[in-house]
Amino acid sequence: MKKTNFKLLLIILFVFLFFQSCNSVSKEKEYQKIDIALGTLCSIKIYTEKNANEAELILNGLFSELDRLENIFSANMENSLLGRINANAGIIPAQIPNELYEVLSKSIFFAEKTGGAFNPAIGAIVKLWNIAMDKGTPPDAVELKQALLKIDYKNIELNGTEVFLKEKGMSLDLGGIAKGYAADWSKNFLLKHGIKRGIIDLGGNVLVLGKKHDGSDWKVGIKNPIIGEPKIGIAYISLFDKTIVTSGNYERFFEYENNIYHHILSPETGYPVKNNLRAVTVIADSSMEADALSTSFFILGIEKSRTLIKSFPQVSAVFFTEDNSIFIIGKEIEGLNILDNRFHLKKQL
Ligand code: ADP
Ligand code: MG
């Protein structure tokens, strides 16, 4: 999860932003709450015939749940459950709730599926790069080499109720998957409370629920992935009941001696993945799957991703390369609209 300084945003947006707009077709109104959760800026919009009080209760309830999930999954909070598990690496196993079991077992599944490219035990290296990011200089190569010895995901011992990290110095990091889980969780929470239409946006991890009230699709924007340019939409995808998740090197990075160092790391080298990609956007039914896959595809690159995506017939992936080409692999996408004419959709090879 991103460890970003959102203080300024907090001041501006620590608001309960409720706005309502009537629509003529039904009595549904729009309610929105924007706040910091899961270490990022989250927005939940719902459309319902419920009154403002009921809607407020639902939105507040959901944000409390997101805080609860952050207290489980965050690798940046010392007192989170994950923080405590990491502190006990090589010492004692920890009891875990079902939420953590689900995310860890899926993470290990993706680690196996990707030959270790997606690695939930990458914490030791992520920590070094987080410090480096704050300082603006890459980590010491010797420290990085030592940390590389502490990231074997096969040393995660997991059963239904317990997890044990077998080696001291090992640490879990679920930054590549937990927001997706939280988005799926939010969807189920809304459905349980009678909400059938809405947009869940957890720091760019977007999930759209149902269709718009007039029966049309939602339009979900894709941000400009070019480092240094404003993060405005360069494309949008029309879709309903889907999730759309992007991993890119423009999300969190620093520049040092003309090199860009970003936050998606190669478990082989310990350094940020270097390839010709700017970003990968994944469209899927499960946001947890889309989150893990967008990170995995970014690490693997287009060619290896073609093999991986065959195991996920309902998933589409859009690759944005450095020369501004766009490649789509997996399930065909009908509603992609490119708004910025510097980007060109290329046929699959
Ligand atoms: P974002 O956090 O911007 O949504 P991603 O979903 O792509 O982006 O996840 C990147 C995060 O995943 C990193 O900040 C880090 O916490 C974690 N991570 C980095 N490299 C890997 C990796 N090889 N495998 C699994 N997780 C990773
Ligand atoms: Mg991800």
Side-chain angles (χ1 to χ4, degrees):
M1 251 164 271
K2 281 178 204 161
K3 194 186 98 196
T4 319
N5 187 350
F6 276 120
K7 269 190 194 147
L8 188 64
L9 280 172
L10 258 173
I11 296 163
I12 305 164
L13 284 162
F14 188 65
V15 236
F16 215 43
L17 214 153
F18 257 122
F19 63 85
Q20 313 177 2
S21 65
C22 293
N23 72 56
S24 50
V25 182
S26 72
K27 292 199 188 75
E28 280 186 4
K29 285 179 182 161
E30 176 188 289
Y31 301 91
Q32 183 181 23
K33 180 168 176 166
I34 302 175
D35 205 344
I36 304 292
L38 304 165
T40 187
L41 189 63
C42 297
S43 150
I44 316 270
K45 247 186 217 178
I46 57 173
Y47 298 81
T48 175
E49 291 185 6
K50 292 180 195 296
N51 66 37
N53 282 343
E54 290 170 309
E56 183 177 347
L57 275 176
I58 292 171
L59 289 173
N60 285 344
L62 179 46
F63 271 87
S64 305
E65 284 297 305
L66 292 179
D67 287 343
R68 186 181 67 80
L69 293 178
E70 185 176 9
N71 275 302
I72 298 176
F73 296 126
S74 173
N76 301 318
M77 291 161 68
E78 264 176 41
N79 266 327
S80 68
L81 178 54
L82 207 74
R84 283 180 278 133
I85 290 167
N86 290 341
N88 279 317
I91 305 171
I92 44 164
Q95 296 284 320
I96 52 167
N98 194 40
E99 286 94 336
L100 188 53
Y101 174 75
E102 277 182 53
V103 176
L104 279 176
S105 54
K106 251 291 152 53
S107 299
I108 293 167
F109 164 82
F110 279 106
E112 278 162 3
K113 268 278 187 221
T114 60
F118 185 88
N119 183 344
I122 198 160
I125 289 182
V126 172
K127 267 184 221 154
L128 290 179
W129 282 101
N130 279 343
I131 297 166
M133 197 85 66
D134 292 342
K135 284 205 281 193
T137 50
D140 177 65
V142 178
E143 268 186 83
L144 211 49
K145 224 173 168 180
Q146 279 162 356
L148 268 180
L149 303 172
K150 304 283 180 188
I151 65 162
D152 188 350
Y153 75 88
K154 293 190 180 109
N155 284 333
I156 305 172
E157 232 172 52
L158 179 70
N159 66 44
T161 55
E162 273 188 353
V163 65
F164 182 50
L165 305 181
K166 291 208 283 196
E167 255 196 279
K168 264 207 161 134
M170 253 184 100
S171 97
L172 298 170
D173 184 287
L174 300 173
I177 188 167
K179 268 191 288 171
Y181 177 81
D184 291 331
W185 208 97
S186 302
K187 168 184 156 178
N188 290 331
F189 181 95
L190 293 180
L191 287 173
K192 232 173 28 203
H193 287 83
I195 307 295
K196 297 185 191 75
R197 234 188 279 292
I199 305 174
I200 296 157
D201 181 346
L202 309 182
N205 208 305
V206 179
L207 187 150
V208 292
L209 190 57
K211 285 197 167 194
K212 285 166 83 173
H213 69 272
D214 61 2
S216 64
D217 289 352
W218 306 101
K219 291 189 169 86
V220 179
I222 298 178
K223 270 192 260 174
N224 184 356
I226 303 178
I227 285 177
E229 292 193 7
K231 295 291 146 253
I232 49 170
I234 52 113
Y236 69 85
I237 300 187
S238 303
L239 73 188
F240 66 97
D241 265 331
K242 289 274 174 199
T243 184
I244 162 161
V245 178
T246 300
S247 286
N249 60 12
Y250 62 91
E251 303 252 14
R252 234 169 95 68
F253 68 91
F254 66 93
E255 205 175 332
Y256 180 76
E257 293 183 345
N258 292 325
N259 279 314
I260 296 288
Y261 295 94
H262 60 86
H263 71 317
I264 305 174
L265 305 169
S266 159
E268 275 176 21
T269 64
Y271 280 82
V273 171
K274 258 203 157 108
N275 53 26
N276 65 339
L277 296 177
R278 294 189 191 280
V280 183
T281 296
V282 171
I283 301 142
D285 295 315
S286 147
S287 206
M288 172 156 64
E289 221 166 82
D291 195 359
L293 282 174
S294 65
T295 310
S296 303
F297 290 154
F298 191 94
I299 297 165
L300 293 172
I302 302 182
E303 291 320 316
K304 287 186 183 153
S305 298
R306 285 186 203 282
T307 315
L308 177 61
I309 207 168
K310 286 193 182 125
S311 307
F312 302 91
Q314 296 308 315
V315 172
S316 321
V318 188
F319 286 73
F320 296 86
T321 61
E322 263 167 3
D323 66 358
N324 293 344
S325 300
I326 298 176
F327 294 92
I328 297 177
I329 66 168
K331 193 177 175 192
E332 222 172 283
I333 301 175
E334 275 160 26
L336 174 69
N337 286 280
I338 299 163
L339 306 168
D340 182 329
N341 61 17
R342 291 175 300 168
F343 290 89
H344 296 283
L345 184 59
K346 297 276 169 71
K347 283 264 170 287
Q348 284 191 29
L349 298 173

